[in-house]
Amino acid sequence: MGNKPHIVVIGTGALACLFGARLSQVAAVTLLGTWTEQIDAINGDGLRLREMSGAESEFKLKTARFPDDVQSVQPADYALVLVKSYQTAVAAERIKAIIKPNGVVLSLQNGLGNQEKLLHALPFHMVSSGVTMQGANIVQPGLVVHAGNGYSVIDDKPFLVGLKELMAEAGLLIQDYAEFGFQGIEAVLWHKLIINAAINPLTALLDKPNGYLAQNKVARRLCLQTTHEALAVSQKEITFETNSNSEQAWVRVVEQTKHNRSSMLQDVTNGRRTEIDSICGEIVHRGRKSGMKAPINRLWLKLIQDYEASGQRLEFTADELSQLVNDYGVE
C-alpha cells in the first residue's frame, strides 16, 4: 500500500462501491462486507462503474468478507460507514477489528442515531457523521450505476481534514455545514432525514424513480405534506431556518437524481429490509417524545412495515396514497 492512507469502506452496496471506486484513485481502499456475490464479483473481475454519461470504468478494489477475511485487512486510517442504518451496531464491530488506535470513523448513512451507536461501541476513537446526496444503483453484482452527483456534507472537526481532502481530490463534491447554509452538523442530519422521509417511502410505495415525485402533482403534494410535518417535529429538537428553500429541498434532490431509484425502492424491489424505522420511524418517535403527532410519517411507516411483514409487492398510485392520507385522519 506504500505511503498512501488506508480507507476501509464498511459496506459493499451501491454507495459503498461508488465511494470506494472514487477514493481508490487517491488512497488504498478496502471494501469490507458480507455480500458474497458482490465480493466475489469485484475480487474476480473488478468493479464496473457506469457513469452518468453512460461511459464505464473498471476499478480494481480489494474486497474482504467479514469475519472470514478480516485478518488480511491492513489497519485502517479511516473507516467510512456506508451500510444500512439498522446495521450500524454490527458495523461498529467490524470497525473495531480493522481501525488503527488513532483511526477516524465517518458515517454517511441515512437516518438519525448512527453516530451515537458508533460512539457507544467506539468510545476511544474519533467518530463523526455527515450526509451524502450521491445516488447510485446496483445493476448486478460487480456493476454499479452512478445515478446522481450530489454533495456530501461533513462536519468541520479537525480530525476530518485529511479525509475531506482525499474525498475532494477523488472528485467527490464536499461541503461543510456552513457552506451548506446551516449552523451545525445536527441541522444537516435533520435536513437529510426530512428529504429522505419525503422521497424514500413514496418512491417505494409508488414504484417510481425519484423524478416522478416532482412531475406528478399529487405525489408532489404528498412530499410537501411529509416535509412540513417532519420540519415541525425537527423544530422541537433543533432550530434551523424554515423557509421555502428548506421546505422544498427534496425538489432539488429529485431533479438532480431524477433517474435514480431510491435506496428504499431498491430494497422493496429486491425483498430486503428497508431503513423506514430510522427515517419515518425516528420522526414519529421523536414527535411522540415532544408531544407532537406525525400522522403522515406514521402512515408511511405502517405501510412499509406491513410490506416487510408480508413480503407482498407494493402497488399504490399517488391518488390512492392521497386517499389513504385523508382516511388516516390527516388534516
Side-chain angles (χ1 to χ4, degrees), residues 223-261:
C223 282
L224 192 54
Q225 288 178 293
T226 306
T227 301
H228 284 159
E229 184 178 276
L231 272 168
V233 173
S234 75
Q235 298 301 302
K236 294 293 184 178
E237 287 201 6
I238 187 167
T239 300
F240 57 91
E241 187 177 0
T242 305
N243 54 32
S244 59
N245 288 333
S246 58
E247 286 177 356
Q248 298 201 39
W250 60 269
V251 176
R252 296 193 298 275
V253 173
V254 297
E255 288 173 349
Q256 292 170 352
T257 62
K258 60 184 178 181
H259 300 300
N260 188 46
R261 292 170 66 82

Side-chain angles (χ1 to χ4, degrees), residues 94-250:
R94 298 178 195 174
I95 295 168
K96 280 183 182 179
I98 53 85
I99 195 74
K100 289 182 177 178
N102 62 342
V104 171
V105 180
L106 174 64
S107 163
L108 292 179
Q109 300 165 273
N110 286 331
L112 292 179
N114 295 303
Q115 181 171 322
E116 291 81 355
K117 292 175 185 174
L118 291 168
L119 280 168
H120 178 75
L122 300 159
F124 304 111
H125 286 85
M126 293 173 283
V127 178
S128 187
S129 58
V131 304
T132 184
M133 305 296 180
Q134 292 282 0
N137 300 325
I138 290 179
V139 177
Q140 63 188 48
L143 174 59
V144 173
V145 175
H146 189 193
N149 192 31
Y151 277 92
S152 297
V153 185
I154 300 172
D155 207 349
D156 61 356
K157 291 183 172 67
F159 63 76
L160 292 169
V161 170
L163 180 57
K164 289 163 72 172
E165 289 176 347
L166 289 170
M167 294 171 79
E169 186 181 350
L172 293 160
L173 302 175
I174 303 297
Q175 287 183 323
D176 63 30
Y177 58 76
E179 293 173 312
F180 198 58
F182 292 96
Q183 295 183 347
I185 199 65
E186 293 81 7
V188 177
L189 294 172
W190 258 107
H191 179 77
K192 177 65 184 304
L193 180 74
I194 292 165
I195 291 172
N196 284 150
I199 295 174
N200 286 19
L202 279 165
T203 54
L205 292 164
L206 295 167
D207 192 17
K208 297 291 185 182
N210 290 0
Y212 179 83
L213 301 181
Q215 296 164 0
N216 181 280
K217 67 178 183 180
V218 178
R220 190 184 183 98
R221 185 180 70 246
L222 291 170
C223 282
L224 192 54
Q225 288 178 293
T226 306
T227 301
H228 284 159
E229 184 178 276
L231 272 168
V233 173
S234 75
Q235 298 301 302
K236 294 293 184 178
E237 287 201 6
I238 187 167
T239 300
F240 57 91
E241 187 177 0
T242 305
N243 54 32
S244 59
N245 288 333
S246 58
E247 286 177 356
Q248 298 201 39
W250 60 269

Side-chain angles (χ1 to χ4, degrees), residues 5-9 19-21 23-25 27-31 61-63:
H6 183 210
I7 302 172
V8 174
V9 180
F19 276 81
L23 288 166
S24 69
Q25 301 168 99
V29 173
T30 302
L31 301 184
L61 291 177
K62 177 176 173 59
T63 309

Side-chain angles (χ1 to χ4, degrees), residues 247-278:
E247 286 177 356
Q248 298 201 39
W250 60 269
V251 176
R252 296 193 298 275
V253 173
V254 297
E255 288 173 349
Q256 292 170 352
T257 62
K258 60 184 178 181
H259 300 300
N260 188 46
R261 292 170 66 82
S262 74
S263 58
M264 194 171 292
L265 174 53
Q266 293 182 60
D267 290 338
V268 167
T269 301
N270 292 291
R272 297 190 296 253
R273 182 180 173 183
T274 74
E275 294 182 291
I276 195 67
D277 291 336
S278 63

Side-chain angles (χ1 to χ4, degrees), residues 301-320:
L301 176 65
K302 178 183 183 301
L303 291 175
I304 298 293
Q305 285 180 334
D306 287 349
Y307 148 75
E308 290 182 335
S310 68
Q312 295 180 351
R313 282 285 292 157
L314 299 168
E315 296 181 3
F316 291 99
T317 66
D319 288 332
E320 287 171 342

